[in-house]
């Protein structure tokens, strides 16, 4: 292995450490607790080393969002691949989405609430975000209905899931009714 390859591997390892530490700190104490100073202390590198990887907190949030999008896409695909039939797949997708949001609140915030400097719904949207949407579209596109654009249907269903996740987390909706909401969403919106 050349010196250049070793340095690239070490750099990638430091980036993963920075992202993992930011994510851990955000999940424990919220995003306000994630500062470059605190991250530098936790990873035991100087702030200039941290800045050599990320220009600031915004880029770190973006990196966490991209990682989260890949994880969410994998979780959605795993849930839907284990389900049999359109209704079961849509229900599994909705449950997996809401479960991901509940289990990873800081990551979910990085993905959809905070400014991570990422473009959504554009040509330059990063691949993990496109793949996250594709994971939704793969299941929801098959139940969009005649004359309904599958992408638009997926956006509406996704918006409903996001609203349920956000309102439940904010204690605006009682969590004990989550399953009933999923069933209603599947019955009325997906109509399967």
């Amino acid at each position: 292995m050349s010196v250049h390859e070793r340095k690239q591997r070490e750099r990638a390892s430091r980036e993963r450490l920075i992202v993992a530490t930011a994510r851990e700190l955000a999940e424990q104490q919220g995003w306000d607790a994630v500062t470059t100073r605190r991250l530098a202390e936790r990873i035991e590198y100087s702030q200039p080393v941290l800045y050599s990887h990320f220009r600031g907190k915004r880029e770190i949030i973006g990196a966490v969002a991209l990682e989260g999008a890949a994880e969410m896409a994998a979780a959605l695909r795993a849930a839907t691949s284990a389900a049999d039939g359109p209704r079961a797949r849509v229900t599994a997708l909705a449950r997996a989405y809401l479960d991901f949001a509940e289990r990873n609140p800081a990551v979910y915030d990085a993905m959809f609430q905070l400014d991570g400097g990422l473009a959504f719904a554009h040509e330059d949207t990063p691949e993990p975000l496109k793949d996250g949407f594709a994971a939704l579209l793969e299941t929801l596109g098959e139940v969009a209905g005649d004359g309904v654009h599958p992408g638009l249907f997926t956006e509406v269903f996704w918006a409903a899931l996001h609203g349920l996740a956000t309102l439940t987390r904010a204690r605006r909706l009682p969590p004990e009714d989550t399953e009933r909401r999923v069933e209603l969403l599947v019955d009325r919106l997906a109509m399967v």
Side-chain angles (χ1 to χ4, degrees), residues 27-84:
E27 291 293 0
Q28 291 170 353
Q29 301 177 30
W31 278 104
D32 287 342
V34 179
T35 64
T36 54
R37 177 180 291 176
R38 188 174 271 164
L39 285 174
E41 288 171 3
R42 283 210 174 188
I43 64 172
E44 298 179 345
Y45 284 101
S46 67
Q47 283 183 296
V49 169
L50 195 138
Y51 282 116
S52 74
H53 292 274
F54 299 98
R55 285 183 281 203
K57 183 175 176 177
R58 181 178 186 220
E59 283 189 5
I60 294 168
I61 290 169
V64 169
L66 293 176
E67 190 175 90
E71 291 171 10
M72 186 183 76
L76 296 178
R77 287 186 175 111
T80 57
S81 70
D84 188 32

Side-chain angles (χ1 to χ4, degrees), residues 141-155:
E142 71 178 291
V143 298
D146 294 336
V148 177
H149 187 281
L152 290 176
F153 178 77
T154 299
E155 289 171 352

Side-chain angles (χ1 to χ4, degrees), residues 3-22:
V3 172
H4 178 70
E5 289 171 331
R6 181 180 52 78
K7 286 185 178 188
Q8 283 184 315
R9 194 175 69 222
E10 289 171 356
R11 180 173 178 76
S13 177
R14 275 193 309 271
E15 279 189 18
R16 285 190 303 274
L17 178 62
I18 292 165
V19 171
T21 304

Side-chain angles (χ1 to χ4, degrees), residues 1 4 21 57 68 74-75 82 95 127 131 142-144 147 161-162 170:
M1 173 183 308
H4 178 70
T21 304
K57 183 175 176 177
R95 287 178 182 145
E127 282 306 314
D131 191 49
E142 71 178 291
V143 298
L161 288 174
H162 176 71

